[in-house]
Amino acid sequence: MLYAILCGYVSEFEGLQNKINCGHLFKEHLDKAIQLLPEEPLLYYLKGRYCYTVSKLSWIEKKMAATLFGEIPSSTVHEALHNFLKAEELQPGYSVSNYMFVAKCYVDLEESQDAWKFCNLALLLPIVTKEDKNSHKEVKKIICSLKR
């Protein structure tokens, strides 16, 4: 599990080729970690983040990944949502970030009532970490976009 998390963090500071390589390793180790610890909400949150990120890859990023690994990474917003909701199922109120990503998924799927619901839930959680603070700001942006 720790190796998967480290791959994810390192990829944030790398160029495209290394980011793709780290993402591939991240997914591989994350899947193994889920097999070993199927009741750990953090793993589903991380898998949701992976799926969401992959679903948003540009054409050039997908082509580069295919060149490096022989296959195009694929995932959908639905898969991301499934993983975020699994984290929530395992530990209700898991994190502000998890709620924010659930809301983003629902916005992408044009299900605004569900997006509103999870934005409101996110705002009810305390802000403890820097990630919580950033996610809280992002939730407020999502709410503004939903009001239009």
Side-chain angles (χ1 to χ4, degrees):
M1 176 168 87
L2 182 58
Y3 186 74
I5 292 169
L6 291 174
C7 285
Y9 282 125
V10 167
S11 73
E12 292 180 24
F13 306 103
E14 296 287 343
L16 182 59
Q17 183 173 352
N18 286 340
K19 186 179 274 197
I20 291 169
N21 188 35
C22 286
H24 184 75
L25 288 171
F26 176 77
K27 171 78 165 62
E28 183 180 314
H29 287 276
L30 188 59
D31 287 342
K32 288 177 186 175
I34 288 173
Q35 287 177 355
L36 295 171
L37 299 167
E39 300 300 313
E40 175 55 54
L42 173 62
L43 298 174
Y44 294 96
Y45 167 73
L46 293 173
K47 189 166 184 182
R49 294 272 310 254
Y50 171 84
C51 292
Y52 190 80
T53 300
V54 168
S55 75
K56 300 295 182 184
L57 288 177
S58 69
W59 178 85
I60 192 73
E61 290 168 323
K62 288 179 182 179
K63 283 295 192 187
M64 183 124 178
T67 302
L68 291 172
F69 298 105
E71 63 183 65
I72 297 174
S74 69
S75 192
T76 65
V77 173
H78 282 98
E79 288 177 83
L81 179 60
H82 171 77
N83 284 287
F84 293 129
L85 291 175
K86 180 68 176 179
E88 178 62 17
E89 174 189 320
L90 292 171
Q91 185 178 332
Y94 176 69
S95 73
V96 177
S97 295
N98 194 61
Y99 280 152
M100 183 230 5
F101 275 105
V102 171
K104 281 184 165 196
C105 289
Y106 280 128
V107 167
D108 290 349
L109 297 170
E110 298 180 3
E111 296 179 26
S112 59
Q113 281 197 322
D114 288 322
W116 272 104
K117 173 185 169 185
F118 282 93
C119 284
N120 289 325
L121 288 170
L123 295 177
L124 294 174
L125 291 180
I127 298 172
V128 178
T129 66
K130 184 178 178 182
E131 183 181 21
D132 291 343
K133 185 177 181 180
N134 293 337
S135 296
H136 196 267
K137 287 179 184 177
E138 187 66 27
V139 166
K140 288 182 176 182
K141 290 179 186 176
I142 294 168
I143 289 171
C144 286
S145 74
L146 289 171
K147 287 180 180 178
R148 294 180 197 156

